[in-house]
Amino acid sequence: MRELPPGARGYILCAVLAALACIAPALTDSGTPWEAAALLAVLYLGCELVKICPLPAGRVPEGIGSFFPVVLAAVFLLPPAAAALVALPGGFAGTVVQRPARVRRVWHGAQQSIAAWVAGRTFGLLHGPAALGGGRSGGSGPPGWVADFPYVLLPATAAAVAFCLVLTALDGGILAAAERRPAATAWRGQLTGSLAPHCVHGLAGLMMAVMWRSPYGLPAALLVLLPMYISCWVFAQYHREHAAHQATIRALVQAVDIKDRYTRGHSERVGQASAMIARELGMAEDRMEVVRIAGILHDVGKLGVPTRLLRKDGPLTPEERRIIELHPEYGHEMVRGIGFLGEARSAILHHHERVDGSGYPYGLTGEQIPVLARVVAVADAFDAMTSTRSYSRARPVPTALAELERCAGAQFDPAMVRALTGAIGRHGWHPVVTSDEDLQVISGSAPAGVADTGRPSPSALAGLPAQGPGPAGETGRPLRDAGDAGGAGAGG
């Protein structure tokens, strides 16, 4: 408890006292259905413990979260106080990653007990026990018993929503108390992200309760529970793999940014612009994500280019240019074995091709160039022109778009240029913040020489070569990337 602020300690203490008040009636009431409560408590505890126990195929992914159908089944089957008691051991045994672990376990147990009690009261106020049939005894219903469908769905849904509301409200409160967040940000996004999963868990809990009350009893209820648990496991496994994919991408991008300090943040901005083009073209969400990843990783091949060339302040020699022109092939080889990248690999290989056939590495023309590569080429050139670097000033967005339009049909696919122009016209260009300096600008602590716009001030740009929208090869800056030889000064 000493690791938490006093306000957070007081908040947790109040939650524990509230949980004890919710549970107390079950301990003193002689009519508490202890057999059903004990079975559900052990079942919920087992669902939580199995996540930390070794299995033949490995452990259950941490992202599976708490398995709430059992708790919600208890809400539907038992009195509110008994349902709160069922939630306590499983909440205490849940997976905890951050410290202090013991305090967090107590918090989870108290939080879930309070939420179960409120959900149970909500279910009772809407006459849910009568609709479910058989009273709140946890036993099987009489022969021929049938729940009151569809009315029982109303109190069950309301109970699941109440359960979710209490959990998110308590979570927001502890975030505000422990991390001293503003109240408005502590609750932001929590309800919208958790309401649908809790409603699904509520439906599974209702199915379990209905089968428990049926003449088939507990075995039928467990048969309902098993496929739900497996589906949650599969869903968590998917999220775990997705997180691993994102971590792989971040690691590659960070390696490129460290090696080529001139283009720090360029990869993320190209991914952002590529996604804007894809959205404007009406691509499906899954393909749009592939386009974004392709934009982020388009320069990963620079890891195979000597650092002295990437950081050279003067013009590149023809031999040095030929070495840098190998970076798309290096990048393609680096990501060849990463299966989830899929179509993004072709964009990494061909993003320096030109529609007139004068690009590299293979001199493809027009429709021979993969669609994603044509998208990334435009996004890459746009960010190169609108970013300030040590050897060139940033061009205004309208100037950069005009230059892209001038080079459309020769260097770039006109459809991709139109898509970017349309997207920026509708939504503007708000590049992602990646560098420490940009973060300082946003927080109001910009370093000397950096204006409030997030770009270096005119005095900081003094002495840098001017970059105008002149013809190919006349930008007056070093050819940092072989793509810079294009009319748009393209390529980061």
Side-chain angles (χ1 to χ4, degrees):
M1 290 286 281
R2 285 176 295 188
E3 300 179 34
L4 295 173
R9 286 181 284 179
Y11 188 88
I12 293 174
L13 181 59
C14 290
V16 170
L17 293 175
L20 291 175
C22 293
I23 293 170
L27 302 176
T28 57
D29 186 359
S30 59
T32 300
W34 285 108
E35 182 178 350
L39 282 172
L40 287 166
V42 170
L43 187 58
Y44 182 43
L45 179 62
C47 289
E48 294 302 305
L49 290 178
V50 75
K51 293 187 293 185
I52 59 176
C53 296
L55 298 174
R59 291 185 177 181
V60 175
E62 293 176 0
I64 193 171
S66 297
F67 192 63
F68 289 133
V70 179
V71 178
L72 290 168
V75 166
F76 304 143
L77 290 167
L78 306 174
L85 187 60
V86 167
L88 187 61
F92 186 80
T95 304
V96 173
V97 178
Q98 296 176 311
R99 300 179 64 186
R102 184 174 299 176
V103 174
R104 289 179 181 274
R105 291 182 187 279
V106 171
W107 162 251
H108 289 159
Q111 178 192 31
Q112 292 181 27
S113 291
I114 296 170
W117 185 87
V118 173
R121 293 288 295 174
T122 303
F123 190 68
L125 289 174
L126 294 176
H127 308 290
L132 187 61
R136 266 187 162 155
S137 63
S140 300
W145 163 87
V146 178
D148 185 6
F149 280 105
Y151 175 77
V152 72
L153 293 174
L154 175 61
T157 302
V161 171
F163 186 82
C164 177
L165 286 173
V166 173
L167 288 181
T168 54
L170 291 173
D171 275 336
I174 193 62
L175 286 175
E179 300 182 10
R180 296 183 175 90
R181 295 189 190 181
T185 60
W187 281 281
R188 183 180 301 163
Q190 290 201 48
L191 182 61
T192 55
S194 58
L195 186 58
H198 281 88
C199 287
V200 173
H201 283 199
L203 179 61
L206 178 62
M207 294 170 61
M208 182 179 177
V210 168
M211 295 307 296
W212 189 305
R213 286 284 176 82
S214 74
Y216 302 103
L218 180 60
L222 294 178
L223 288 178
V224 170
L225 193 63
L226 183 60
M228 181 66 183
Y229 192 84
I230 293 174
S231 66
C232 286
W233 188 93
V234 172
F235 191 67
Q237 182 70 30
Y238 164 77
H239 279 282
R240 187 183 186 184
E241 292 180 0
H242 182 71
H245 296 167
Q246 296 301 317
T248 301
I249 294 169
R250 282 196 302 271
L252 291 171
V253 171
Q254 288 172 358
V256 174
D257 284 349
I258 291 171
K259 184 163 187 175
D260 187 4
R261 62 171 180 257
Y262 289 119
T263 59
R264 184 177 182 187
H266 170 67
S267 299
E268 289 89 347
R269 294 192 299 271
V270 172
Q272 180 183 356
S274 298
M276 291 176 68
I277 296 173
R279 186 178 292 109
E280 190 72 12
L281 293 173
M283 291 187 183
E285 286 292 329
D286 55 346
R287 198 173 188 212
M288 193 165 67
E289 176 65 11
V290 174
V291 174
R292 188 185 69 84
I293 293 174
I296 290 175
L297 294 179
H298 75 285
D299 272 345
V300 69
K302 285 184 177 180
L303 293 173
V305 176
T307 304
R308 63 179 179 81
L309 298 185
L310 297 175
R311 299 187 178 182
K312 184 177 179 181
D313 290 329
L316 300 174
T317 66
E319 178 60 30
E320 290 171 337
R321 280 192 59 194
R322 282 192 290 271
I323 294 174
I324 286 187
E325 285 181 354
L326 294 173
H327 82 270
E329 294 177 274
Y330 289 157
H332 184 260
E333 287 300 315
M334 288 176 185
V335 302
R336 182 192 292 267
I338 304 179
F340 72 87
L341 292 179
E343 196 180 358
R345 294 192 291 268
S346 65
I348 294 171
L349 178 62
H350 297 294
H351 73 278
H352 278 303
E353 304 283 3
R354 297 171 53 133
V355 295
D356 62 3
S358 61
Y360 63 91
Y362 301 131
L364 302 182
T365 62
E367 296 295 324
Q368 293 178 337
I369 305 172
V371 173
L372 268 59
R374 284 179 266 154
V375 170
V376 173
V378 172
D380 186 20
F382 174 74
D383 184 69
M385 288 189 287
T386 55
S387 300
T388 293
R389 301 178 183 178
S390 65
Y391 49 80
S392 64
R393 298 182 186 182
R395 302 186 195 185
V397 169
T399 303
L401 293 176
E403 180 69 2
L404 290 173
E405 291 173 0
R406 187 182 72 82
C407 298
Q411 184 171 351
F412 307 114
D413 186 332
M416 307 306 171
V417 174
R418 287 194 299 270
L420 180 62
T421 302
I424 292 177
R426 264 187 288 278
H427 308 292
W429 173 240
H430 308 286
V432 292
V433 176
T434 53
S435 71
D436 296 336
E437 288 186 357
D438 288 338
L439 291 173
Q440 289 172 338
V441 169
I442 287 178
S443 64
S445 58
V450 179
D452 290 340
T453 59
R455 299 195 183 282
S457 65
S459 61
L461 289 171
L464 293 181
Q467 177 181 318
E474 295 180 6
T475 59
R477 64 179 178 139
L479 295 174
R480 185 69 51 207
D481 188 316
D484 290 345

